[in-house]
Amino acid sequence: MAKAWIRDRWLKSKAVVDGVETVPTARMRRRVAANPSTADLPDAFKTADYGRGMRWQVCWRADGRQHREGFAVREAAEERAAELNDDLRSGRYVDPRGGRRVLDDLLEPWLADHTGVRPSTIDNYRRHYESMVRPRFGSTCIGDIDERAVKAWVRDLDSGAIRTQRGEPFTKGAIRTAVSKILGSMLRFAVRRKWIPADPTRGVRLPRVPVQRVDPFTLEEVRAIADAAGRLKTPTGRPCGRPMDRLLVLFLASTGMRPGEMAALDVRDLDFTHDMISVSKTMTKAEAGHYRYVQGDTKTVRGRRRLPIPSFLRGELEALCEGRDGGEPLFTSPRGERIIYQQWRLRVFKRAVDAAGVRPDGRRLTLYSLRHTFASVAIMNGADVKTLQDLMGHEDATVTLNTYAAVFADRRDAVSDAVSDAFSRELWVK
């Protein structure tokens, strides 16, 4: 067990005087304490530091290294040693110099501590830190970041006093991420290393994120977008739309798959014997700060799932896989390489939405709206929360409920009418 001890920097604990090993007497120690320059004692007892600096030194080992702290009076050193021993035994010990580290110095060690985290997530953490955390706390010693400072910062973010580089207020979700997942996580990292005693963000109330708005396409819009994708032309009038582009739109809308999961599919992931699609991978950044993509694990453990092959697409999918090696990418670019959905979104999907004449009408329509379309159609056709959670690959059912709360609410009247009809048939029709 780690333990603190006291060292006399001026006097040796023993010395050889006149050929005899002896220890300093109490009288010698009192004389030294009164005036080291006039104290009468053999030079053999004097250390190299005799009469210089603070006489008493508290020493202890923690975090794999030895620490020292000086005191002029022995009683103060004893009190500090007792305090340290109590903290070391109880696990409350904090490095007295740990709080002097500035927050910027924690960034790289903190990010390196995120083993198994996607490079895209690391990039996202860096962006939030640079735009929201560093301007306020980057050069601040972590021991000086207290709850009041954090609350003032959150107030400024939430009120719009602190804005993005484009002059826009930060969203509630971005504020929660910056406080809890960035600053709070960094300070908890410091707590685990005994640099500070506690995380000052723990008692800070965060702005409530409004219920997520989900904007799906209608089925008519999906069909129009898919048809338009297959008939796209270049500015010079040359056809560039492919049957695969049409299939891709319908595939995303009828499976609810994430775009990254779709792009990571290989031919062997489609099991036509059992009419199932194996979803176990997604396209992710190869490393933080770069834009080369590789196959990686899905977003969540529950994201690894098996989905039914949409029956109305079975024939087209079989034709797509016919004669191809199982390890080949299922969906490809015009050059035959694995599709990069971010590029496909700009090159095909956005143009197809415009060509189909689909108008937002106040909706926020994105490629992810195809996934929301699947969820909305499933809910309106009776899917329960647990089933939808499994189909969407959500880690927790609360994610499903929070995301599609409004869609589930739209079914209240239909559910109430169905229950009423059931009671009517059973109790009064007879």
Side-chain angles (χ1 to χ4, degrees):
M1 179 185 294
K3 185 178 180 181
W5 67 94
I6 298 173
R7 186 171 76 90
D8 188 340
R9 294 182 58 252
W10 292 356
L11 295 183
K12 298 176 183 177
S13 59
K14 61 180 67 174
V16 176
V17 180
D18 298 329
V20 179
E21 186 177 77
T22 185
V23 297
T25 64
R27 183 178 180 184
M28 290 180 186
R29 294 183 184 280
R30 286 196 298 270
R31 287 177 176 175
V32 172
N35 192 337
S37 61
T38 60
D40 181 20
L41 76 159
D43 290 340
F45 285 116
K46 297 179 181 180
T47 68
D49 294 322
Y50 180 79
R52 294 185 299 177
M54 294 189 180
R55 177 179 177 183
W56 302 101
Q57 190 174 69
V58 177
C59 307
W60 71 98
R61 289 196 65 82
D63 305 322
R65 60 192 180 91
Q66 185 165 311
H67 302 259
R68 299 180 181 86
E69 194 171 340
F71 294 87
V73 181
R74 182 182 180 91
E75 287 74 11
E78 289 174 341
E79 184 177 336
R80 176 59 173 154
E83 177 187 331
L84 282 167
N85 281 324
D86 185 49
D87 288 343
L88 288 166
R89 282 193 298 268
S90 64
R92 295 192 304 267
Y93 170 79
V94 174
D95 183 350
R97 293 177 294 183
R100 300 176 195 169
R101 293 173 169 86
V102 297
L103 191 67
D104 275 348
D105 292 342
L106 264 65
L107 181 62
E108 295 306 325
W110 172 71
L111 289 174
D113 194 52
H114 286 71
T115 56
V117 176
R118 292 180 179 181
S120 57
T121 302
I122 297 298
D123 283 348
N124 186 47
Y125 288 166
R126 283 189 186 277
R127 286 194 299 272
H128 277 84
Y129 182 82
E130 294 293 338
S131 63
M132 303 176 73
V133 182
R134 171 172 277 167
R136 177 63 63 93
F137 295 116
S139 59
T140 305
C141 292
I142 57 176
D144 295 335
I145 301 175
D146 57 17
E147 184 176 317
R148 186 161 68 174
V150 176
K151 285 181 176 178
W153 173 57
V154 172
R155 229 175 4 253
D156 288 344
L157 288 169
D158 196 29
S159 67
I162 300 176
R163 293 176 172 255
T164 68
Q165 289 184 342
R166 292 180 293 183
E168 301 171 350
F170 287 101
T171 65
K172 310 291 186 185
I175 296 172
R176 292 180 71 92
T177 296
V179 177
S180 180
K181 292 186 178 181
I182 311 298
L183 179 61
S185 180
M186 291 177 73
L187 294 175
R188 290 189 290 275
F189 172 83
V191 170
R192 292 195 300 273
R193 277 147 187 79
K194 309 295 185 182
W195 294 338
I196 54 175
D199 168 22
T201 69
R202 191 174 297 279
V204 177
R205 291 188 62 183
L206 301 178
R208 182 174 296 177
V209 178
V211 176
Q212 181 177 346
R213 177 175 173 176
V214 173
D215 291 323
F217 294 106
T218 66
L219 293 182
E220 292 77 13
E221 289 172 335
V222 170
R223 183 176 61 184
I225 294 168
D227 290 342
R231 297 194 301 262
L232 285 177
K233 295 183 179 180
T234 66
T236 60
R238 182 174 59 84
C240 61
R242 304 174 298 161
M244 188 185 294
D245 294 325
R246 177 183 181 278
L247 175 60
L248 249 173
V249 174
L250 297 175
F251 183 84
L252 287 171
S254 60
T255 62
M257 206 174 291
R258 298 179 179 95
E261 295 171 339
M262 170 275 297
L265 287 176
D266 295 326
V267 171
R268 59 170 166 249
D269 292 324
L270 270 64
D271 179 1
F272 293 104
T273 302
H274 301 93
D275 286 333
M276 299 298 289
I277 307 168
S278 177
V279 183
S280 60
K281 307 177 294 296
T282 190
M283 295 308 293
T284 185
K285 286 184 177 180
E287 55 185 303
H290 295 270
Y291 290 91
R292 183 171 63 85
Y293 292 85
V294 296
Q295 287 179 324
D297 290 337
T298 52
K299 187 173 183 179
T300 62
V301 173
R302 188 174 288 276
R304 302 184 184 98
R305 60 202 188 278
R306 286 173 64 81
L307 301 175
I309 293 177
S311 57
F312 76 103
L313 295 180
R314 194 180 197 280
E316 293 181 67
L317 290 170
E318 281 185 314
L320 183 63
C321 296
E322 188 175 357
R324 300 175 67 198
D325 179 78
E328 292 183 45
L330 179 63
F331 296 107
T332 59
S333 69
R335 295 182 178 181
E337 301 167 342
R338 184 179 297 279
I339 196 167
I340 298 177
Y341 77 86
Q342 294 93 335
Q343 295 178 357
W344 182 84
R345 175 178 61 86
L346 297 172
R347 180 176 54 83
V348 175
F349 180 73
K350 289 187 71 174
R351 292 179 58 204
V353 171
D354 293 337
V358 174
R359 298 291 176 262
D361 298 326
R363 296 174 294 172
R364 184 173 177 269
L365 298 177
T366 66
L367 182 58
Y368 240 72
S369 296
L370 294 175
R371 177 169 161 87
H372 298 326
T373 299
F374 170 84
S376 300
V377 172
I379 293 169
M380 298 311 294
N381 283 275
D384 60 86
V385 174
K386 191 64 179 176
T387 300
L388 189 62
Q389 175 195 351
D390 290 338
L391 290 170
M392 303 296 285
H394 289 152
E395 184 71 20
D396 193 283
T398 55
V399 176
T400 311
L401 279 171
N402 290 338
T403 305
Y404 299 106
V407 186
F408 277 109
D410 288 344
R411 291 199 65 243
R412 284 182 299 189
D413 291 342
V415 171
S416 180
D417 290 344
V419 172
S420 179
D421 290 345
F423 272 95
S424 297
R425 288 193 302 271
E426 183 66 25
L427 299 178
W428 287 280
V429 171
K430 294 181 180 178

